[in-house]
Amino acid sequence: MSYNNENENKNNNERDFSNDQFNQNNSFNSTNSYSSNIQYSSSPELSPLQERLRREEEESKRRENRKGTKKGGYFISGLAGVIVGALIMWLLLPSMVGQLPNGSSNANNEPITPIEQTATEVTTDITSAVEKVSDAVVGITNIQEITDFWNQRSMEREAGSGSGVIYKVDGDKAFIITNYHVVEKAKQLEVTLADGMKEEATLVGSDIWTDLAVVSISSENVDTVAEFGDSDVLKQGETVIAIGNPLGLDFYGSVTTGVVSGKDRAVPVDLNADGVQDWETEVLQTDAAINPGNSGGALINIAGDLIGINSMKIAESTVEGLGFAIPINSVIPIIQELEVNGEVRRPTMGIGLLDLTEVPAFYQQQTLKLPEEVTTGVVVSEVVKGSPADKAGVQQYDVIVEMDGEKIENSIDLRQHLYNETDIGDTLMLKVYRQGKIVELELKLTEGTSV
């Protein structure tokens, strides 16, 4: 009985749904005339699949409606933020005008006071000394001939540069002091004046032992000549000024200052790059910065007088402020001779030299037969035939220990005595060890370019 009532209620519901659907169709047809031909299903119920599709469609429409609402909300929020930000900037901008880089007024719209400059020309003893000499300091470029390895062609190329000092004008020539190592092996020399003008230069003479050279240029464009001072009257602690071209012509005419750190310094040098010290150069020591390119430049005192020629610097990581210059009193006689002869004529003995300290102890005893107490001296490694030494009876393996009563400990001592204490034509008294016995000899010096 209950089953029949349920069926009856179901049939009544289906009829109600069909009537609703029919009414909807009539409403749609009355609005859209073109759809009158569409046939609608008169099925009394929807299938489960149709029912699910209908629910999904309704859910999709609800989501789209929500998205539209969110987008509208985002847009309104963003627009409101822009309006608020613009309003804040409009309110703050007047107070920031005085703080802008090019702002012309302050917070009170008052004009800003301009910055004042004071042009003060400072003149000191140092600036006066530099002004007096700087135009006499020049740059010297060493141009050498080299051969290309691949095509075996010779070409000229800049090999280096240094400094020089104009010290004399004689007629149409101007003479310049520089260092021997600045002009060494040069095929061509070029001088750069203080105004940048370049002049072709001629080598007048050079001397390897003193590291000095003289070159000449046309005097047409030379306006300033350095004045010689007296290096013998210098005092330790006295202010000195170095002028030159450190690291090349890019730093032309650089000026550094310092003091005389020491006088009469003897610095050993290796002249032929064989690792053996050949000579001791007498120099002034200064803490004024002297760098590569300063070589040949001027060292002047506070009066602007030339008291030295910058020569070298000890370049070690543990050494700071140790530069050297050749005293001008040692320079003058050398450059005078270079002007006249193109070289420094010195007396010669005609021998080869070898320090005794370089000879192994075995050969000192077996070959030279020296007494054990003899540990220093100079071994004669060779005797030039027909030389003063040959004529005086000097023999190979003689060990020179004394010259003119002065003890000789090494080859530097021998050269210093020969070149600084004697002249061409003098008679030199030698004391040597020969096969363990002392022999005294007299040697008459002649002119030559070697020992």
Side-chain angles (χ1 to χ4, degrees):
M1 187 67 179
S2 60
Y3 176 78
N4 292 334
N5 290 335
E6 291 178 0
N7 288 339
E8 184 177 356
N9 292 334
K10 180 178 182 182
N11 291 335
N12 290 334
N13 292 335
E14 289 176 353
R15 283 195 299 270
D16 293 340
F17 176 78
S18 297
N19 290 333
D20 292 341
Q21 186 177 24
F22 177 77
N23 291 333
Q24 291 177 2
N25 290 338
N26 287 338
S27 176
F28 181 81
N29 289 337
S30 64
T31 305
N32 302 288
S33 59
Y34 65 84
S35 44
S36 59
N37 295 328
I38 299 177
Q39 301 296 322
Y40 288 92
S41 173
S42 57
S43 173
E45 62 179 3
L46 293 174
S47 66
L49 178 59
Q50 290 176 327
E51 181 66 20
R52 189 177 67 180
L53 292 174
R54 183 180 64 80
R55 288 197 300 268
E56 290 179 353
E57 183 178 359
E58 291 176 354
E59 182 66 24
S60 176
K61 289 179 179 180
R62 284 195 297 270
R63 284 196 300 267
E64 290 179 358
N65 290 336
R66 286 197 298 270
K67 288 182 180 178
T69 302
K70 289 182 180 179
K71 290 181 179 178
Y74 293 156
F75 174 76
I76 293 173
S77 299
L79 181 60
V82 171
I83 293 172
V84 171
L87 181 61
I88 292 173
M89 289 300 297
W90 181 74
L91 293 173
L92 292 178
L93 188 60
S95 64
M96 296 174 61
V97 170
Q99 302 177 19
L100 295 176
N102 296 323
S104 58
S105 63
N106 54 24
N108 298 322
N109 293 325
E110 297 177 357
I112 296 177
T113 304
I115 298 175
E116 296 183 358
Q117 288 181 283
T118 302
T120 304
E121 184 175 343
V122 177
T123 300
T124 65
D125 291 340
I126 292 177
T127 61
S128 298
V130 171
E131 186 176 359
K132 177 182 176 181
V133 183
S134 59
D135 285 351
V137 180
V138 300
I140 299 179
T141 303
N142 183 325
I143 301 173
Q144 297 182 6
E145 186 177 54
I146 62 173
T147 302
D148 187 273
F149 176 78
W150 300 107
N151 55 29
Q152 295 299 308
R153 292 181 181 177
S154 296
M155 62 183 71
E156 293 183 353
R157 180 177 298 176
E158 178 181 332
S161 62
S163 306
V165 183
I166 302 173
Y167 70 94
K168 176 181 177 181
V169 172
D170 187 2
D172 60 351
K173 289 184 178 181
F175 292 87
I176 302 169
I177 318 171
T178 187
N179 288 138
Y180 171 87
H181 71 264
V182 171
V183 302
E184 185 179 9
K185 299 180 181 179
K187 176 73 173 180
Q188 180 182 340
L189 293 171
E190 186 178 75
V191 169
T192 303
L193 301 177
D195 59 1
M197 184 173 294
K198 297 184 181 296
E199 298 276 358
E200 184 177 350
T202 302
L203 179 63
V204 176
S206 61
D207 181 52
I208 188 174
W209 298 103
T210 56
D211 194 28
L212 291 172
V214 174
V215 300
S216 66
I217 60 172
S218 169
S219 62
E220 182 178 356
N221 299 307
V222 174
D223 299 320
T224 305
V225 175
E227 297 180 5
F228 290 143
D230 187 350
S231 57
D232 287 343
V233 300
L234 289 174
K235 301 176 182 178
Q236 281 186 295
E238 183 176 339
T239 299
V240 290
I241 306 161
I243 307 176
N245 313 311
L247 307 180
L249 299 181
D250 290 341
F251 298 95
Y252 186 98
S254 295
V255 176
T256 57
T257 62
V259 298
V260 177
S261 303
K263 298 173 58 178
D264 302 323
R265 301 294 198 225
V267 178
V269 291
D270 177 11
L271 300 175
N272 54 5
D274 62 354
V276 178
Q277 296 173 350
D278 304 301
W279 184 252
E280 282 188 346
T281 302
E282 295 181 1
V283 292
L284 297 171
Q285 179 188 338
T286 178
D287 65 347
I290 296 177
N291 295 292
N294 271 121
S295 295
L299 187 71
I300 62 176
N301 60 16
I302 203 69
D305 297 330
L306 185 65
I307 49 91
I309 300 298
N310 301 329
S311 181
M312 69 187 81
K313 174 188 178 183
I314 294 182
E316 295 181 10
S317 59
T318 57
V319 176
E320 181 71 25
L322 200 58
F324 301 99
I326 305 170
I328 202 64
N329 287 19
S330 299
V331 171
I332 292 173
I334 300 297
I335 61 176
Q336 287 176 337
E337 190 165 352
L338 291 178
E339 284 184 39
V340 176
N341 302 318
E343 62 180 3
V344 176
R345 295 178 177 177
R346 292 186 173 91
T348 184
M349 298 171 62
I351 59 175
L353 307 179
L354 177 65
D355 287 349
L356 181 61
T357 53
E358 297 179 15
V359 179
F362 175 81
Y363 294 106
Q364 290 186 22
Q365 302 297 323
Q366 299 298 320
T367 304
L368 303 179
K369 302 187 183 305
L370 291 175
E372 292 183 0
E373 64 271 15
V374 179
T375 57
T376 59
V378 177
V379 180
V380 177
S381 60
E382 65 174 335
V383 178
V384 178
K385 188 175 181 179
S387 66
D390 184 33
K391 295 176 180 178
V394 177
Q395 298 181 10
Q396 188 181 33
Y397 301 141
D398 281 353
V399 179
I400 301 173
V401 293
E402 192 176 295
M403 296 172 67
D404 292 331
E406 182 178 332
K407 185 177 182 180
I408 302 298
E409 295 187 346
N410 51 49
S411 57
I412 294 177
D413 288 347
L414 188 148
R415 290 190 180 101
Q416 293 278 359
H417 182 85
L418 181 65
Y419 294 154
N420 297 336
E421 305 296 332
T422 66
D423 292 317
I424 298 170
D426 287 351
T427 299
L428 184 65
M429 304 298 297
L430 293 179
K431 184 179 289 188
V432 302
Y433 273 96
R434 181 181 297 167
Q435 295 297 310
K437 296 180 180 180
I438 291 181
V439 177
E440 295 185 359
L441 302 169
E442 289 186 6
L443 185 153
K444 188 172 184 178
L445 300 172
T446 60
E447 180 184 335
T449 58
S450 62
V451 177

